[in-house]
């Protein structure tokens, strides 16, 4: 012990490594638009010292934190500021029940499962003015918001029916953690991934058991449920990575960040042994292209001007470069890379009536940049950014995988990668 | 009252020393209807009062070696819980036995506690680990006792406030240069106003020497000899609390065997070294002291080895040689009250010394009794039952989770108790945080400056905790200096004050300047020297002043 004396400074989430430089507060999108929120430095490391003394010092204003992690990206001292805030919220929420609204918003998979069965009705109803008014006044879900449309057929159903059988025939293989959005709302993104991976010789496989990653559960205070689901997912991922030696690909930045980093840091579910085996698909594909293991051939007639928006959690992982560099390989794509700004939705945050105005105020800088970029569509790795940008700018938003799949000359690519057509 | 008028009055009693003892004496005297002046050469609680553990002893530490002090402690401990609620955090404490200690001592200890009237409950090591997770897991025995944490700055200020409410006058930054002695009678004090350089004389019927270790000098001015034996103790402050309860070693008192959770930090201490009386003003902490504190400290709580140290400081205990043994071999930790009329034939002069911060109230009571005996006042002492301002029965609590207080409001309630209601909070500016680490608002600073005798940033720190947090004044000192400059209409003075304050902060960081504390200090230097040029501005100003 004595020889290790004061060689390092260890504190929960590094809160005591903070030198109070306040850079985090200058990049906080919430502090920029409201004085009700004390900013990450105050809410995080400063507040933590007082909460250690007495948890009565927990300030309800911490609920305004988006958990966008921009503070953590900016911190020169490696303090996990947003995690400190999340932990304080978790502690304050112990023994408290989440509201019906929060439970509904948080259970993206449950809601999705029900809505899938009655997709046309659900879509029509959720979009109706009277329904919106009821949700606004009774459930405090803001009337400006429209729930993302539900698909008639789940991605997993489509996969089992149309794709599963042929996957084993490919020379290489990966697993796919599709997430709730792909499964219930937008199976096309999953189909695009299968199309793309197949074209470069990779068979795609589903995990043994996949549940909602739980990012919305954490945000809405349903920690026990989040932990249960995290354990299930961690087990499935471990089987894929360790036993089957298959990398687990994802197409949603927030799910990815949650699986890799928030499972251990917030939920105490250790995924560090398989962390390197979970990655966003663009990173996996970029590395293969870079190492010249695969080739991508794009259509000659693909011509589009699009803007890339870096989702906050994508930036936290530092992976936006993979998406951007991969997209830049599409000859016909005039790609405008936007300065990183938060869109303001932060998953379910912006759906809540009390957050609507703040959410839009936060996003306004980004919306202006998008407008100035004069593009026909926006590209981002996060589905909730997509909803926010579509609602706020009227432009369509796509995942990089869909853009790549759309621009891909499938036959030429298959040939180039030595596959039979 | 303006200072000049204070000088002109004649007082029943003049108290020298603005530590806890002087403040407690001033309060007691004022409550008994005497006219009181308290003078302090620096700021209130600058000496030993503000330079200890912030531990509200149960007395258990003294139980085996000094039963009388132990009994005094537990009695005062229970009184302070009632009268000084807002200064006290009732944490309880543990006396732990480690494998290298003799477990048989525990039995001796518990019995001695019993004799002194201290609740001492032997608990299993497992239970100790459960109620205090930071404790050394290797412990083989633990005793739970009613130790607590106390804020000596708050305690002193609350006593002074009550003294003032009851008519006392108090002057800080007034140094006693001599006593007015006339025909074998002390009749007042000669003062140097260190704020404006003025020299004045103030008259009083009785002079009480409550100057702690500096009391020997004061007595000498009156031609009286007291032999004090300064014992220096160094302490370290960690950046946050690692412990919830006070942790002590269950063995004969030794170096660095108490870890106290104080407000947002925890403090390990102390060393104990006899030093020559000439060096009592040198409070620098040495490398050897830091090493001992860390080495012993990790035996109480191993996590201290990897916890950031933000500051080191030292204080001097005013131990007194008993009159029948001037060699100093038998030194008492007990209270010593000397009536110099009886002892030295000097009328109107009383020295109250020895004792501990814990027994300040009792010392005040004893001194006041001696003053009253001289003045023929027979009013009884009520300080044991009358709550201090801020600690009234209906005072709000910082721990009340049912109230939606802002961070700053809650912290202010923790510091000022019911008096926090006097802090303005009606607009965004008053609610803005000046000190983000400790939650001090503009409103709280206004309150402190206008009502708690604040002349400079160091004063302000003692009243509010401005600059006491992790950043040691990096962010708050310029904001606070700007407010002081505004209130005093003197920007140049504020600038000099800012430089002095930052130097004072660095002094305490320097002995522990490694790792994150060094990074912190470097960033502070980069901002104030590199970016703002404060060092140059101050040296230019100094040259101008000299010309």
């Amino acid at each position: 012990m004595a020889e290790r004396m004061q060689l390092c400074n260890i504190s929960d989430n590094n809160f005591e490594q903070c030198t109070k430089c306040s850079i985090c507060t200058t990049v906080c999108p919430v502090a920029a638009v409201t004085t009700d929120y004390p900013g990450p430095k105050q809410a995080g490391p400063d507040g933590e010292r007082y909460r250690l003394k007495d948890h009565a010092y927990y300030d309800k204003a911490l609920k305004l934190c988006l958990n966008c992690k921009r503070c953590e990206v900016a911190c020169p001292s490696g303090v996990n500021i947003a995690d400190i805030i999340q932990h304080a919220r978790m502690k304050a929420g112990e023994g408290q029940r989440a509201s019906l609204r929060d439970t509904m918003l948080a259970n993206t998979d449950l809601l999705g499962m029900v809505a899938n069965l009655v997709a046309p009705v659900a879509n029509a109803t959720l979009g109706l003015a009277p329904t919106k008014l009821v949700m606004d006044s009774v459930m405090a879900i803001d009337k400006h918001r429209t729930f993302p449309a539900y698909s008639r057929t789940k991605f997993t159903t489509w996969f089992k029916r149309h794709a599963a059988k042929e996957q084993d025939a490919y020379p290489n293989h990966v697993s796919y953690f599709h997430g709730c959005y792909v499964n219930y709302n937008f199976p096309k993104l999953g189909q695009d991934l299968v199309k793309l991976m197949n074209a470069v010789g990779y068979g795609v496989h589903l995990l043994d058991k996949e549940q909602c990653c739980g990012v919305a559960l954490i945000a809405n205070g349903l920690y026990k449920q989040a932990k249960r689901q995290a354990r299930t997912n961690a087990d499935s991922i471990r089987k894929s990575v360790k036993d089957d030696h298959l990398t687990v690909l994802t197409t949603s930045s927030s799910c990815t960040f949650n699986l890799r980093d928030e499972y251990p840091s917030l939920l105490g579910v250790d995924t560090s042994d398989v962390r390197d085996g979970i990655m966003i698909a663009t990173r996996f594909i970029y590395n293969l292209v870079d190492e010249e293991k695969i080739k991508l051939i794009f259509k000659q007639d693909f011509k589009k001007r699009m803007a890339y928006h870096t989702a906050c959690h994508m930036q936290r992982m530092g992976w936006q470069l993979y998406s951007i560099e991969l997209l830049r390989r599409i000859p016909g794509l005039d790609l405008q890379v936007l300065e990183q700004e938060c869109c303001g939705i932060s998953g379910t945050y912006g759906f809540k009536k009390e957050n609507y105005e703040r959410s839009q105020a936060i996003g306004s800088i980004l919306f202006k940049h998008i407008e100035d970029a004069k593009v026909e569509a926006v590209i981002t790795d996060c589905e909730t950014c997509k909803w926010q940008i579509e609602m706020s700018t009227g432009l369509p938003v796509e995942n990089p995988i869909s853009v790549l799949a759309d621009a891909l000359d499938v036959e030429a690519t298959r040939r180039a990668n030595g596959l039979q057509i | 009252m303006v200072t000049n008028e204070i000088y002109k009055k004649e007082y029943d009693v003049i108290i020298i020393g603005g530590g806890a003892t002087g403040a407690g004496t001033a309060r007691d005297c004022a409550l008994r209807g005497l006219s009181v002046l308290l003078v302090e050469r620096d700021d209130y609680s600058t000496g030993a009062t503000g330079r200890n553990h912030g531990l509200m002893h149960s007395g258990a530490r003294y139980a085996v070696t000094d039963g009388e002090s132990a009994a005094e402690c537990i009695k005062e401990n229970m009184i302070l819980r009632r009268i000084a609620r807002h200064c006290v955090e009732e944490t309880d404490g543990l006396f732990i036995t480690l494998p290298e200690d003799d477990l048989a001592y525990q039995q001796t200890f518990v019995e001695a506690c019993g004799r002194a009237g201290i609740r001492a409950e032997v608990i299993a090591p497992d239970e100790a680990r459960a109620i205090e997770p930071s404790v050394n897991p290797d412990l083989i025995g633990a005793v739970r006792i009613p130790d607590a944490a106390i804020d000596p700055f708050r305690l002193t200020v609350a006593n002074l406030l009550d003294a003032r409410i009851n008519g006392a006058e108090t002057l800080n930054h007034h140094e006693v240069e001599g006593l007015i002695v006339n025909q074998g009678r002390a009749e007042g004090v000669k003062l140097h106003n260190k704020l404006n350089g003025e020299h004045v004389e103030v008259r009083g019927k009785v002079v009480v020497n409550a100057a702690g270790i500096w009391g020997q000098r004061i007595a000498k001015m009156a031609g009286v000899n007291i032999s004090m034996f300064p014992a220096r103790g160094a302490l370290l402050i960690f950046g946050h609390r690692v412990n919830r309860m006070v942790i002590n070693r269950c063995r004969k008192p030794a170096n660095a065997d108490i870890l106290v959770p104080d407000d947002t930090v925890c403090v390990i201490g102390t060393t104990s070294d006899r030093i020559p009386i000439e060096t009592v003003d040198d409070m620098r902490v040495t490398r050897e002291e830091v090493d001992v504190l860390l080495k012993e400290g990790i035996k109480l709580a191993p996590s201290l080895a990897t916890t950031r140290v933000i500051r080191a400081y030292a204080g001097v205990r005013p131990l007194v040689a008993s009159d029948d043994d001037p060699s100093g071999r038998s030194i008492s930790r007990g209270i010593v009250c000397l009536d110099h009329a009886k002892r030295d034939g000097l009328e109107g002069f009383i020295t109250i010394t020895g004792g501990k911060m814990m027994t300040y109230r009792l010392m005040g009571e004893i001194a006041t009794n001696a003053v009253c005996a001289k003045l023929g006042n027979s009013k009884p002492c009520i300080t044991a039952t009358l709550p201090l301002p801020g600690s009234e029965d209906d005072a709000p609590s910082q721990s009340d989770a049912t109230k939606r207080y802002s961070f700053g409001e809650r912290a202010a309630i923790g510091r000022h108790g019911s008096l926090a209601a006097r802090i303005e909070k009606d607009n965004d500016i008053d609610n803005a945080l000046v000190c983000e680490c400790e939650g001090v608002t503009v409103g709280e600073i206004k309150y402190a400056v206008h009502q708690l005798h604040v002349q400079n940033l160091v004063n302000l720190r003692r009243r509010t905790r401005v600059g006491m947090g992790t950043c040691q004044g990096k962010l708050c000192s310029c904001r606070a200096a700007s407010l002081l400059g505004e209130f005093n209409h003197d920007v140049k003075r504020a600038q000099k004050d800012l430089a002095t304050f930052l130097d004072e902060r660095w002094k305490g960081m320097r002995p522990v300047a490694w790792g994150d504390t060094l990074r912190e200090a470097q960033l502070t230097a980069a901002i104030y020297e590199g970016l703002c040029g404060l060092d140059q501005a101050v040296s230019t100003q100094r040259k101008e002043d000299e010309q």
Side-chain angles (χ1 to χ4, degrees), chain B residues 16 176-190 207-209 214-226 340-341 343-351:
Chain B
I16 304 169
V176 173
E177 297 180 300
L179 267 79
I180 307 168
V181 178
N182 214 347
Q183 296 177 335
R185 167 178 286 275
E187 290 183 344
V189 290
K190 296 173 188 171
V207 176
V208 175
N209 173 12
W214 296 274
Q216 183 173 332
R217 258 184 239 169
I218 300 288
K220 211 170 172 187
M221 291 175 191
V224 170
N225 193 37
I226 310 173
H340 296 286
R343 183 176 179 266
D344 308 287
L346 177 64
E347 227 353 294
F349 190 53
I350 293 166
T351 293

Side-chain angles (χ1 to χ4, degrees), chain B residues 55 111 174 250 293:
Chain B
L55 167 60
E111 282 167 14
H174 278 67
C250 193
L293 290 167

Side-chain angles (χ1 to χ4, degrees), chain B residues 486-532:
Chain B
E486 200 178 298
F487 299 148
N488 298 325
H489 309 287
D490 192 341
V491 176
K492 280 195 171 172
R493 181 174 140 197
Q495 186 172 277
K496 239 194 275 177
D497 189 21
L498 175 59
T500 310
F501 184 71
L502 289 166
D503 279 346
E504 185 260 355
R505 293 286 85 191
W506 168 240
K507 201 183 82 191
M509 296 169 86
R510 193 175 167 160
V512 293
W514 60 74
D516 290 320
T517 295
L518 183 59
R519 288 173 63 227
E520 190 90 62
Q522 282 185 313
L523 182 54
T524 307
I527 293 170
Y528 287 98
E529 295 181 359
L531 193 63
C532 305

Side-chain angles (χ1 to χ4, degrees), chain A residues 60-71:
Chain A
K60 287 199 175 80
L62 266 61
K63 280 194 179 155
L64 300 186
C65 168
L66 295 167
N67 197 24
C68 68
K69 309 275 182 192
R70 284 167 60 100
C71 48

Side-chain angles (χ1 to χ4, degrees), chain B residues 289-540:
Chain B
E289 286 171 324
V290 172
D291 285 348
V292 168
L293 290 167
L294 285 171
K295 201 173 122 245
E296 294 299 316
I298 60 165
K299 293 179 187 165
L300 296 175
S303 59
L304 294 181
T306 51
T307 302
R308 175 170 170 183
V309 192
I310 55 171
R311 206 173 168 77
Y313 64 104
V316 179
R317 301 177 189 88
L319 304 185
V320 196
S322 65
D323 270 345
D324 42 6
D325 176 25
S327 72
R329 269 188 296 272
S330 101
I331 290 175
S332 166
R333 283 193 180 236
I335 300 166
V336 175
C337 181
L338 305 172
D339 181 344
H340 296 286
K342 288 179 204 155
R343 183 176 179 266
D344 308 287
L346 177 64
E347 227 353 294
F349 190 53
I350 293 166
T351 293
I352 180 78
T353 188
K356 291 169 289 293
M357 192 253 291
M358 264 315 289
T359 53
Y360 89 91
R361 190 209 60 81
L362 183 58
M363 293 169 80
E365 181 177 341
I366 292 171
T368 306
N369 288 344
V371 172
C372 286
K374 286 192 183 301
L375 297 174
N377 181 315
S378 57
K379 275 202 173 173
C381 173
I382 54 168
T383 57
T385 49
L386 184 70
L388 285 161
S391 280
E392 299 81 3
D393 291 343
D394 56 351
S397 158
Q398 63 179 328
S399 298
D400 186 350
T402 62
K403 296 264 167 53
R404 174 102 201 254
Y405 295 123
S406 73
F407 177 52
E409 271 176 280
R410 204 174 276 280
I413 288 169
R415 286 188 278 270
H416 307 287
S418 60
L419 298 180
R422 299 189 187 174
I423 294 170
E424 289 174 36
K425 52 175 190 219
D426 294 336
N427 60 55
D428 280 352
I429 292 182
D430 284 332
N431 289 327
L433 288 181
V434 173
C435 174
E436 298 172 44
C437 299
E438 299 292 341
V440 184
T441 61
V442 171
E444 186 174 347
I445 289 192
K446 272 194 204 166
Y447 164 69
V449 170
H450 295 137
Q451 303 199 32
L452 303 178
H453 285 230
V454 168
Q455 315 289 348
N456 57 38
L457 289 169
V458 177
N459 297 168
L460 186 65
R461 170 175 66 76
R462 295 201 183 94
R463 309 294 185 275
T464 63
R465 288 189 76 81
V466 152
M468 278 186 169
T470 325
C471 83
Q472 292 287 298
K474 181 197 297 149
L475 296 184
C476 55
S477 55
C478 57
R479 298 172 186 158
S482 145
L483 288 170
L484 284 186
E486 200 178 298
F487 299 148
N488 298 325
H489 309 287
D490 192 341
V491 176
K492 280 195 171 172
R493 181 174 140 197
Q495 186 172 277
K496 239 194 275 177
D497 189 21
L498 175 59
T500 310
F501 184 71
L502 289 166
D503 279 346
E504 185 260 355
R505 293 286 85 191
W506 168 240
K507 201 183 82 191
M509 296 169 86
R510 193 175 167 160
V512 293
W514 60 74
D516 290 320
T517 295
L518 183 59
R519 288 173 63 227
E520 190 90 62
Q522 282 185 313
L523 182 54
T524 307
I527 293 170
Y528 287 98
E529 295 181 359
L531 193 63
C532 305
L534 181 64
D535 48 338
Q536 286 176 28
V538 170
S539 72
T540 312

Side-chain angles (χ1 to χ4, degrees), chain A residues 9 16 19 41 54 57 77, chain B residues 240 399 474 516 519-520:
Chain A
N9 169 5
E16 206 156 81
T19 57
K41 169 179 167 291
D54 193 333
Y57 275 90
S77 305
Chain B
H240 71 277
S399 298
K474 181 197 297 149
D516 290 320
R519 288 173 63 227
E520 190 90 62

